[in-house]
Amino acid sequence: MPKGTSSKSAGQLAPIKRAPGTLHLSLIVAAYNSEKYIDRLLASIFGQSSALHWFEVIVVDDGSTDGTAAIVRDWMTRYPQHLKYIHQENAGAGAARNAGLEIARGEWVAFPDSDDFLDVDYFKAMFKETRQEHELPLLAVISNLVFYHEDRDEFSDTHPLRYRFRSGIVRKPSDELDMHLHLSGATVWLHRPTLEKHGIRFDGRVVPGFEDAHLINRLFVAAPSRTVSFVPKAKYYYRKRADQSSLIDTAKDNPKWYLDQIEYGALDLIKGAKEKLGSVPKYIQRTCLYEVMWKHRYLVDHAERADILTNSERSKFVKLIEEVIGYIDSDVIEEFGLAGCTEEHKVALLHLYKKQRRTQPAVYLSQMDLQAGLAQFSYFSGGDELLDLRIEVNGREVSSVYPSRRMSTFLDRTYFRQHFFWIALEDGDEVAFHLYDIPCRIRRGSKQLGETATWLELRNSLQMNPPKDLSEDTLRLRQYVKDRRHDYQGAIVMIDRPDKADDNAEHLYRHMMATGRSSNAWFVLSESSADWPRLQGEGFRMLAYGSDEHIAAQMNAEFLVSSHADRFICWPVEKKNFQDLARFKVVFLQHGVIFNDLSGWFNGKNFRLFVATMPEEYGEIFSPDSRYVFSEREGLLSGLPRHDALLKASSNSKADTVLIAPTWRKYLTAESGITGAPRVKIHGFEDSLYARSWSSLLNSQELRDLSEREEVRIVFAMHPGAAMYLEDMSIPSYIDVVDTRTISSYQKLLVQAKVALTDYSSAITDVAYLQRPVVYFQFDKDEMFAGEHVCKEGYFSYEHHGFGPVVTTSEEVIAKLDDALSGREDPVYAARREASLPLRDGQCSERVCRAIEKISRFRNLEVRSEKSLSCVA
């Protein structure tokens, strides 16, 4: 713990003797329901190591309804000459601080937050700076904000503006702050007479979150040619609340964050500076860009987050953003690197608001396939603009192959596109790019490679340095991985999930065994899984998930083949500690069929091979104009390996059930906080629309009557992510309830289904694959696709492409199930199943095996093909 951060009780603190003379400092604390925190703040103030005695603390209670007042009054009994208390009706932090300013007497004034606290030497460092002689009169002294994470009881010096404190004390003129922006009222001492001279107060309309920056920077504008000091030794501890209840944590749920904060804050600051000075100083431009940049970061690809705004409010928000950025110079945007303003944002902001391009564009190296002689690059374009990129290898123009791109949106507008492409590139080659005859910078992440780059420079830029400061166990495991490199060279490591098999990886492995391809293949599973003895008995070569042998095999393998792509599957160890040793390429077999837009999740994955089942699905993922970054080089239209076994099993099984299989909902689960661990319950599940809708159907007399009339069993199998709620649901005894977390084979449920009922589960496509009816019960579609789940609507419309009817009530469910069981189903659905699921020849596993073998064994053929495509005569 940093020095002086222990929370002493008030009785242990030495009394402060008031020294004669003018008050040096006024600390104004706005407090609202702060009984959990304010004791620690006051303890840190009155426990300072400094000899500064000439200060006052003014606590303005902004209408608290808890025990805040009692705690402050208790402190007042011990420090009556230093501590004042004001109570007011709730009016907001700005109004509370203004009330404190009316009675403040200190030469310097500060506004610490009631839930934060100070380092023991805070006063000492700040006071010393105020007593220094300065070439320009001192206007503000700024302390270093350090995060205190309440839930972990840990400190981290990770604020985005921490660079201001890396070079000792820095002193800047108030009108030439350069990149030394400041936005926090809690961490600054301001010269109160100057504040009073210009009549500057907090504007209560600037909420939530920018009112500090608004006041401070208006003061900087009003008082040019004064000194602003940044003091690294003065540490201010900013509490990150465990319950995320702070104003900053909840700000985005307030329409004023989108509107008033910009209109009365950033825009007012800009206009005021222009009116006073004739132009807007660069530091004011950067301060306002910093603020609106966070809004872009929050809303890009998440338009649903702005659903709290009405249509007119949304339009006003866009106009306000446009007006603010209209005052920001293009060169400020081009050089800006704060608030996550990386290349794509610079390109997008310039295009969207300035109708301009980057002065010098950048092309990024993404990856290289050294064995295939290929390199992948990408570049950004703003909005829907199409750019003409010229590629030169060894001074000769070439064309690219395997194009793909991803698109990001800002509300209803295209924000940027990232264009990916491959070119043939081998040892000795040199590459350059030009955009409209402008040489492009070649980069690998933040690393600059120049306007030209050799093959060797590109390859070296991808090399990873070994990680530092590793534990003894990590070092031991890394050495074991190296020692086993030869043993697992060219290996194929396969996994479905750590706790369960019975998915595509298992079925593909079995096919590899049957066709003599499994000699260097390994299957990963937890030894405690019920599937372990079954697979071991069949002759699978098993590796225990998380074991040293598993890690050694996976890091050294040529391929990791899995039906899932979760982090704990691709990286069962910390990626940063082992990525320099990893050799494997990921073959993603999928768990089901992609209907919705999952690009936001999948685009962060580096798949060498990506399996698809439906032609429409393949086109959606691998076409150059899709939202996905994958190209035809990674795509494989093969069908799922488990489908081969599904077809075979269906010919030997009687279909005599109605399978009811709801999927899960993100808003009905909470993360456990442990990577890969099961989700945990939320309170109030039984009152959710999800629970009420499914319970109503399951308990309906009409469903029981249908079961008896058609002589079918009703089987209820919730998604494993929601199955924890089975015990909370009242389900009639005649219904067979299946816990999908523990069943040995999900396929048995599918092949026995005469009809399947689901909401959105793509796994039920397996029933459609068998040419059997499906019904979709979608009672909460608006919630499902309004940011409450992990997906967005994609190419697949359940109404226009679904394999059965879409209904929203229990009554409609019964009617459509009755139609399907009695042969009255609309024939359009059978036609859709036939057309969309054509790969029913029992060769899905074989197609995947051949694709993997092509990557592994026939790279030279691909290189020759790429070379012939790449060169321009």
Side-chain angles (χ1 to χ4, degrees), residues 250-295:
T250 60
K252 300 177 185 66
D253 298 327
N254 187 342
K256 293 183 178 182
W257 186 78
Y258 302 84
L259 303 172
D260 295 7
Q261 193 185 92
I262 302 176
E263 181 176 5
Y264 303 118
L267 196 54
D268 179 79
L269 177 59
I270 284 174
K271 289 181 175 179
K274 185 174 177 61
E275 181 179 349
K276 180 174 179 62
L277 305 174
S279 62
V280 184
K282 298 284 191 183
Y283 74 89
I284 295 294
Q285 293 184 38
R286 294 184 186 106
T287 298
C288 295
L289 180 57
Y290 185 84
E291 179 59 30
V292 299
M293 189 61 230
W294 287 117
K295 289 173 169 54

Side-chain angles (χ1 to χ4, degrees), residues 629-644:
V629 301
F630 307 101
S631 70
E632 292 182 355
R633 183 173 188 262
E634 294 81 44
L636 176 67
L637 181 60
S638 62
L640 303 180
R642 71 169 184 260
H643 284 169
D644 297 339

Side-chain angles (χ1 to χ4, degrees), residues 451-552:
E451 294 179 359
T452 62
T454 65
W455 178 92
L456 182 61
E457 290 170 333
L458 294 170
R459 189 203 67 177
N460 288 344
S461 73
L462 293 170
Q463 299 299 310
M464 298 179 188
N465 295 322
K468 299 178 180 179
D469 302 322
L470 300 177
S471 67
E472 288 187 11
D473 190 60
T474 299
L475 290 170
R476 178 198 60 77
L477 185 54
R478 281 176 57 88
Q479 186 59 49
Y480 189 73
V481 168
K482 295 174 187 177
D483 293 342
R484 300 304 303 274
R485 182 161 293 166
H486 177 75
D487 298 322
Y488 291 110
Q489 185 175 2
I492 300 177
V493 172
M494 308 175 71
I495 181 174
D496 282 321
R497 292 186 64 87
D499 59 337
K500 192 169 183 56
D502 191 38
D503 208 334
N504 290 308
E506 175 188 325
H507 291 282
L508 182 64
Y509 191 102
R510 187 173 288 109
H511 177 79
M512 292 170 64
M513 289 175 62
T515 56
R517 293 176 166 113
S518 63
S519 61
N520 200 13
W522 305 80
F523 198 87
V524 176
L525 189 65
S526 171
E527 282 188 286
S528 61
S529 170
D531 292 325
W532 179 282
R534 176 175 62 84
L535 298 184
Q536 192 174 50
E538 283 190 50
F540 280 53
R541 302 178 75 185
M542 306 295 290
L543 294 170
Y545 176 84
S547 66
D548 287 1
E549 210 61 38
H550 165 211
I551 306 308

Side-chain angles (χ1 to χ4, degrees), residues 1-7 36-37 40-41 114-119 144-159 187 235-244 246 249:
M1 179 178 289
K3 183 171 62 173
T5 61
S6 61
S7 181
K36 289 172 58 179
Y37 310 111
R40 187 168 190 180
L41 171 66
S114 61
D115 54 352
D116 299 335
F117 53 100
L118 312 175
D119 184 77
N144 186 15
L145 186 153
V146 176
F147 289 119
Y148 168 65
H149 298 275
E150 184 180 62
D151 58 342
R152 308 194 301 267
D153 191 27
E154 291 179 2
F155 296 82
S156 63
D157 187 7
T158 55
H159 191 278
T187 59
K235 295 179 181 179
Y236 178 98
Y237 296 117
Y238 177 91
R239 182 187 300 269
K240 298 289 285 184
R241 295 188 187 181
D243 61 4
Q244 298 185 330
S246 70
D249 291 326

Side-chain angles (χ1 to χ4, degrees), residues 171-240:
R171 301 178 179 97
K172 292 276 187 179
S174 56
D175 49 353
E176 296 180 21
L177 288 170
D178 192 33
M179 294 300 294
H180 278 60
L181 317 181
H182 192 67
L183 298 88
S184 167
T187 59
V188 63
W189 288 13
L190 299 174
H191 190 243
R192 192 179 64 82
T194 308
L195 203 64
E196 296 296 336
K197 174 183 175 181
H198 296 285
I200 295 174
R201 289 292 187 269
F202 290 95
D203 188 334
R205 299 173 300 173
V206 188
V207 291
F210 193 72
E211 56 187 335
D212 290 10
H214 184 244
L215 177 135
I216 293 164
N217 286 278
R218 280 186 295 147
L219 180 63
F220 293 165
V221 169
S225 300
R226 302 280 294 272
T227 296
V228 178
S229 297
F230 297 82
V231 183
K233 288 186 178 180
K235 295 179 181 179
Y236 178 98
Y237 296 117
Y238 177 91
R239 182 187 300 269
K240 298 289 285 184

Side-chain angles (χ1 to χ4, degrees), residues 69 163 228 246 267 419 559 594 631 642 694 712 716 788 811:
Y163 61 85
V228 178
S246 70
L267 196 54
H419 307 262
F559 295 103
I594 293 175
S631 70
R642 71 169 184 260
W694 286 112
V712 290
F716 184 64
E788 296 291 347
E811 292 77 15

